[in-house]
Amino acid sequence: MKVLSYQIADGIDISGFKNSFKAHIYFSDNDEIFYMIDTDKFIYVFKYGVVSFLNYDEKGISDFIHFIIPYCKNFSEFKLSEEFEIETGAKEIRFGYNKIDIIEPTIDMYRLIILNVSQSVALDYYAEVTNTLLNETNLQTQYLEKKGRLNISGRNLKKYIGRTLNLKSTISENLYIFDSTPETWENEDLNRIDLGLKKTFDLQVRFRSIQESLQIIKENFELFKDIMQYRNSYVLEIIIIVLILLEVINLVIEKIN
């Protein structure tokens, strides 16, 4: 059995899509919907732009993604993806490279596995966005080092700061890296699967790396803002001095005349 997860957009309108796509809903809230299409066929939709499939062929996936496009924000087909294998009928729960062996599957196990694969794809996406921001910040620091000044306007700087803060907020809202679903609290096998998958995908390590990068970006932009404010203050002081000098010169001229 294969899980296929795709980051197809910056976000998905969960409420709107839920009203349009008619299938058996096993679980849903404001952030996600888990559909049970058949006994071993599932779809998981997340508001942060990820859709995941279990036991779906390429045509089925393509048809579904085509259907969901109107509910996507900044749709981009198959931006990032991840595959994960599920083997059933094992003697014990085992984790391998992009694979898990489970004894007797349940719907909650399927959901938990797909959830973790989806979180891994989302982390790849947020890491990509964060690296883009970090590279843009590095260009500014390099320019500052070479020229002794910034090569960015105050308006664009504010946009970058807002984008960074918004990204940090979005990541915190949408990823459950340090949390577990309530079902895992009461089921030892689910808890073991959840912990094992988080370790397999390095979810917590990757999450911390993104958070650290965003903090560096935020600190750099705050420094740029301080430099820009100092520059503006310095320019204002020069203008005031020039105006005072002009006034003095004007008074001297008047006395001479």
Side-chain angles (χ1 to χ4, degrees):
M1 303 174 70
K2 183 182 292 185
V3 178
L4 294 167
S5 293
Y6 301 93
Q7 179 84 40
I8 62 169
D10 292 339
I12 296 174
D13 177 8
I14 290 293
S15 178
F17 179 75
K18 183 179 180 180
N19 291 331
S20 298
F21 187 71
K22 302 305 178 183
H24 176 66
I25 297 175
Y26 183 80
F27 171 84
S28 72
D29 59 20
N30 294 330
D31 301 328
E32 59 193 60
I33 315 173
F34 185 60
Y35 292 102
M36 180 180 178
I37 308 301
D38 206 337
T39 53
D40 58 354
K41 196 173 184 180
F42 302 89
I43 300 175
Y44 216 153
V45 181
F46 298 87
K47 77 171 185 179
Y48 49 80
V50 171
V51 292
S52 298
F53 306 86
L54 177 62
N55 276 350
Y56 257 77
D57 58 20
E58 290 185 8
K59 186 181 185 306
I61 291 173
S62 179
D63 290 344
F64 181 84
I65 290 178
H66 180 75
F67 183 88
I68 204 174
I69 288 176
Y71 306 94
C72 292
K73 177 183 177 183
N74 298 327
F75 173 79
S76 179
E77 189 171 11
F78 305 155
K79 277 184 177 179
L80 295 164
S81 63
E82 187 145 0
E83 295 186 11
F84 194 76
E85 295 283 346
I86 302 175
E87 289 286 345
T88 60
K91 293 182 179 179
E92 60 180 8
I93 298 173
R94 291 191 301 267
F95 300 90
Y97 178 73
N98 280 348
K99 179 183 177 183
I100 183 174
D101 297 332
I102 54 180
I103 305 168
E104 186 176 347
T106 65
I107 296 177
D108 285 331
M109 286 182 183
Y110 287 143
R111 180 185 163 220
L112 188 60
I113 293 168
I114 300 171
L115 172 64
N116 277 277
V117 178
S118 302
Q119 296 273 283
S120 179
V121 174
L123 277 174
D124 285 339
Y125 171 66
Y126 289 129
E128 193 175 84
V129 175
T130 300
N131 286 335
T132 299
L133 270 174
L134 190 59
N135 289 335
E136 291 170 353
T137 308
N138 289 337
L139 289 176
Q140 291 300 325
T141 56
Q142 291 169 12
Y143 190 90
L144 181 63
E145 180 183 1
K146 292 178 181 178
K147 304 291 186 178
R149 64 179 186 273
L150 294 173
N151 186 32
I152 187 173
S153 67
R155 183 176 181 180
N156 285 335
L157 179 59
K158 290 176 182 176
K159 286 183 178 180
Y160 278 123
I161 293 174
R163 188 176 171 191
T164 303
L165 294 175
N166 185 53
L167 184 57
K168 287 186 71 174
S169 176
T170 300
I171 292 173
S172 298
E173 288 177 4
N174 293 332
L175 299 185
Y176 331 120
I177 306 304
F178 298 100
D179 299 324
S180 297
T181 61
E183 292 81 4
T184 61
W185 306 340
E186 302 172 355
N187 187 299
E188 185 177 343
D189 286 340
L190 288 177
N191 186 56
R192 184 180 174 189
I193 289 172
D194 187 48
L195 294 176
L197 289 172
K198 282 180 168 58
K199 185 176 181 181
T200 298
F201 289 117
D202 288 329
L203 296 185
Q204 294 183 0
V205 174
R206 291 159 61 194
F207 179 83
R208 289 193 182 98
S209 177
I210 292 173
Q211 291 288 71
E212 289 170 2
S213 295
L214 284 173
Q215 185 60 33
I216 292 171
I217 293 168
K218 181 176 178 293
E219 289 173 358
N220 284 339
F221 282 142
E222 291 293 339
L223 175 62
F224 296 162
K225 186 178 71 172
D226 291 342
I227 291 173
M228 196 166 288
Q229 287 176 342
Y230 173 78
R231 184 181 67 186
N232 293 339
S233 297
Y234 178 74
V235 171
L236 183 61
E237 288 176 4
I238 295 297
I239 292 173
I240 292 172
I241 291 172
V242 170
L243 290 174
I244 292 172
L245 283 174
L246 289 173
E247 184 67 23
V248 171
I249 291 171
N250 187 51
L251 288 172
V252 171
I253 292 174
E254 288 179 354
K255 286 187 177 181
I256 291 175
N257 292 335

